[in-house]
Amino acid sequence: MAGRASGSGTTRCPSCSAPILRQLVGRVAALDVTADLTPLTPAEQRAVREPNRLIWCLYRAGPHTAPRLRWTGRDHPAACPHPHVTQHRCPPTTLF
């Protein structure tokens, strides 16, 4: 899944207005990923990790290139210098 990302765009969530990044990630079977743009510490990554909520590396190839999402699977370097983000979920709200 560390393949190419396309169809990217930094925008805001239509429900909660949080800054998000949307990209198609993968080579064969692309995933439509919506990720938060707030970097996570290693402790925060462990706290939010769930079976259906992945952690993504926010890789930037150069200073003038758009960020790309890479999956932080078992082949991801432990000493990665890039920020890590998670799949976006809107915070719970109270309607009344």
Side-chain angles (χ1 to χ4, degrees):
M1 275 201 207
R4 299 161 61 170
S6 63
S8 63
T10 304
T11 185
R12 293 206 169 264
C13 175
S15 297
C16 68
S17 298
I20 57 172
L21 176 66
R22 264 192 98 169
Q23 284 185 355
L24 291 176
V25 180
R27 290 186 184 149
V28 178
L31 295 174
D32 185 11
V33 177
T34 303
D36 286 325
L37 287 177
T38 306
L40 301 172
T41 65
E44 290 171 327
Q45 291 176 42
R46 286 188 295 276
V48 300
R49 190 178 306 261
E50 297 173 5
N52 294 323
R53 192 170 190 195
L54 300 175
I55 304 297
W56 299 93
C57 175
L58 195 57
Y59 173 78
R60 194 178 288 263
H64 304 292
T65 59
R68 294 187 333 187
L69 295 171
R70 290 184 171 181
W71 182 47
T72 58
R74 62 185 148 121
D75 296 334
H76 193 73
C80 175
H82 305 290
H84 292 124
V85 296
T86 189
Q87 189 172 335
H88 177 69
R89 284 196 188 156
C90 293
T93 59
T94 305
L95 296 175
F96 40 91

